[in-house]
Amino acid sequence: MNKHQKKLLVIIAEAALEKRLVADVLQAGAHGYTVHDVRGGSDFSTREGRWEADRTIEMKVICEPAVADAIAEQVIARYAPHYGLTLFFADVAVLRPEKF
C-alpha cells in the first residue's frame, strides 16, 4: 500500500468563528476540511453548547505541512487575542494524496 505523509491540523474554537475559519483554511491552500460540533471543559471553563455563543467546533484539516503551519499562524494571530482556541498538529498518512 502506497502511503503519503501529510499534516493534520486540528482547531478547536468558538462556533462563531466557523465561517471565518473555513475562508482562512481554503485561502491558505487547503483542499478541504471537516467541522464537528463538540463539547468539553477544563479547569478554566465548561462550554455546554446550549446557545450560540457557548457552542464549540472542532475543525480538522489534512494538508501539506507548510499549509498547516500557515493556517495555524494566521488563526493564532487573528483570533487568539479575542477567542478561545486550541490548535494541535499530528502526522498522518493518506492513501489518495491528490485530495490533500
Side-chain angles (χ1 to χ4, degrees):
M1 189 172 293
N2 197 9
K3 299 175 189 173
H4 304 270
Q5 294 303 116
K6 299 292 179 182
K7 193 64 72 175
L8 168 65
L9 170 61
V10 178
I11 304 169
I12 302 169
E14 295 177 37
L17 291 177
E18 183 175 348
K19 289 181 182 178
R20 288 183 264 181
L21 290 171
V22 167
D24 292 342
V25 162
L26 296 175
Q27 183 179 28
H31 296 285
Y33 59 89
T34 57
V35 176
H36 302 276
D37 288 313
V38 295
R39 289 185 308 277
S42 68
D43 291 343
F44 305 106
S45 70
T46 299
R47 297 179 63 81
E48 297 178 3
R50 292 187 180 172
W51 57 297
E52 183 65 26
D54 196 37
R55 289 181 43 241
T56 303
I57 59 164
E58 179 182 79
M59 174 180 269
K60 295 180 181 177
V61 182
I62 298 173
C63 55
E64 294 293 331
V67 173
D69 287 347
I71 293 167
E73 287 175 3
Q74 182 172 332
V75 167
I76 290 294
R78 284 187 179 173
Y79 307 118
H82 306 290
Y83 295 92
L85 288 173
T86 299
L87 288 84
F88 62 90
F89 299 91
D91 294 323
V92 296
V94 301
L95 298 178
R96 299 184 325 175
E98 66 279 359
K99 291 186 63 172
F100 306 99

